[in-house]
Amino acid sequence: MKTVRIQTDQREQILDITRQVREAVEKNGWGSGLLALFCPHTTAAISINENADPDVKRDILYHLKKTIPQSPEFRHFEDNADAHIKSVLTGFSLVVIVEKGEIRLGRWQGLYFCEFDGPKDREIWLKWLPEAGG
Amino acid sequence: MKTVRIQTDQREQILDITRQVREAVEKNGWGSGLLALFCPHTTAAISINENADPDVKRDILYHLKKTIPQSPEFRHFEDNADAHIKSVLTGFSLVVIVEKGEIRLGRWQGLYFCEFDGPKDREIWLKWLPEAGG
Amino acid sequence: MKTVRIQTDQREQILDITRQVREAVEKNGWGSGLLALFCPHTTAAISINENADPDVKRDILYHLKKTIPQSPEFRHFEDNADAHIKSVLTGFSLVVIVEKGEIRLGRWQGLYFCEFDGPKDREIWLKWLPEAGG
């Protein structure tokens, strides 16, 4: 298992971590197989979306904040129930395909780290499972 | 990695792609192991749900459209921010279990391709990882 | 493939199933690799979140119930369209990392079984894919 460290600097923030994950694939010499990405937090998540127009990230965060506000209706004592809910809806586990050392993503896709309760020191975990000979 | 091509014909549409994925398993002679399904788009997603009453698909799309409308509050210039958000919440990566050549799904489950910005030519990617001897 | 049986006793309920999954890993002697968890239902889901304050579970269910109510606008004849939608947004497939017989979760993470249309007899399926020598 390998760890990729991520530093967030806002409460709510989407970071494109494609480069860091590509570097881990290269550095570890992973060939062809499945790469599992896992987010070990409860108020941050991982997903995939557009790597071009930064307004897509803004719109995703804007929508989540509007529909899942910090609210006195929530009871969790740390006052970040909204971040837990956003994380559950976004997800903690992704599996991506790697072929001959290349992460296969769609043309417009980037890997997203989604911070919902930062700024914090975060990390994601990578586990590599090669195909036979990969 | 294998590709399954999908043609959508509406802006928002859920297609049951179980048959196409079963055919890929059969055609490639995959036995026992894990099958990773990956959606390489940013305005479409993959999920699982009921394969019987078509109103379930309608209700899912109805709810998403109502709660995530195309809105001038979004800034993404292509005017399809709603489709990006729906995709993030639905998900891009699924792993299903295959035993002796059979995809194991629950009795009422079908594999869903979820189009949120069609009609478009789409695809999903399949990667097979057999268990030892599978 | 192994099955973990789960009994729910409310319509909407989040159960921490970390212990049962850990026991399956131990009992089956699984070492290092990837463990796929699959929820074979269409009105229940699996996720991950805080294992400490029970109010987090309450807040997640409260938010989902408030934003996805049982509503006459839904057409599905079984009157549980809300449960189907909540399940799609939460997800059916999770992949967790196992190292030397230990499921690797973040410090505050527990594995969640999310019931949205109980009480029911439910199950999740586990499939183990070891790394070479794992």
Side-chain angles (χ1 to χ4, degrees), chain B residues 32-34 47-51 53 55-56 58-60 62-64 66-67 86 89-90 93-99 104-110 112 114 129-132, chain C residues 1-2 34-43 67-69 71 73-78 80-81 83-85 87-95 125-130:
Chain B
S32 295
L34 291 179
S47 189
I48 288 171
N49 218 272
E50 177 163 329
N51 60 9
D53 177 9
D55 275 341
V56 171
R58 180 266 175 200
D59 287 345
I60 294 169
Y62 173 84
H63 171 80
L64 290 173
K66 185 175 168 185
T67 55
K86 289 167 187 167
L89 297 179
T90 308
S93 155
L94 275 182
V95 172
V96 296
I97 299 168
V98 181
E99 298 279 1
R104 296 296 311 261
L105 294 174
R107 182 175 177 185
W108 303 106
Q109 287 185 325
Y112 275 13
C114 306
L129 226 57
E131 60 185 15
Chain C
M1 191 185 94
K2 302 292 175 183
L34 291 179
L35 181 61
L37 286 74
F38 186 83
C39 173
H41 307 288
T42 58
T43 55
T67 55
I68 314 172
S71 159
E73 295 177 44
F74 295 133
R75 294 191 193 148
H76 180 41
F77 69 93
E78 293 181 285
N80 62 355
H84 289 282
I85 297 165
S87 300
V88 165
L89 297 178
T90 307
F92 304 92
S93 156
L94 275 182
V95 171
W125 298 343
L126 307 179
K127 181 81 179 174
W128 172 241
L129 227 57

Side-chain angles (χ1 to χ4, degrees), chain C residues 11-106:
Chain C
R11 182 169 196 268
E12 289 161 46
Q13 183 175 29
I14 290 174
L15 293 172
D16 188 325
I17 56 169
T18 313
R19 190 178 53 75
Q20 291 98 306
V21 179
R22 281 196 202 286
E23 284 172 1
V25 170
E26 200 174 319
K27 191 178 157 188
N28 290 288
W30 294 333
S32 295
L34 291 179
L35 181 61
L37 286 74
F38 186 83
C39 173
H41 307 288
T42 58
T43 55
I46 48 175
S47 189
I48 287 171
N49 219 271
E50 178 164 327
N51 59 9
D53 177 10
D55 275 342
V56 172
K57 290 177 189 146
R58 179 267 176 198
D59 288 346
I60 294 168
L61 291 175
Y62 173 84
H63 171 79
L64 289 173
K65 188 173 190 162
K66 185 175 167 185
T67 55
I68 314 172
Q70 282 181 284
S71 159
E73 295 177 44
F74 295 133
R75 294 191 193 148
H76 180 41
F77 69 93
E78 293 181 285
D79 204 23
N80 62 355
D82 67 305
H84 289 282
I85 297 165
K86 290 167 186 167
S87 300
V88 165
L89 297 178
T90 307
F92 304 92
S93 156
L94 275 182
V95 171
V96 296
I97 299 169
V98 181
E99 298 279 2
K100 298 181 183 172
E102 292 243 351
I103 300 176
R104 297 296 310 262
L105 294 174

Side-chain angles (χ1 to χ4, degrees), chain A residues 63-75:
Chain A
H63 171 79
L64 289 173
K65 189 173 190 162
K66 186 176 168 185
T67 54
I68 313 173
Q70 282 181 283
S71 160
E73 295 176 44
F74 296 132
R75 295 193 193 146

Side-chain angles (χ1 to χ4, degrees), chain A residues 49 53 62 99 109 131, chain B residues 1 39 41 73 76 84 127:
Chain A
N49 219 271
D53 177 9
Y62 173 85
E99 298 279 2
Q109 287 185 326
E131 60 184 14
Chain B
M1 191 184 94
C39 172
H41 307 289
E73 296 176 44
H76 180 41
H84 290 283
K127 181 81 177 174

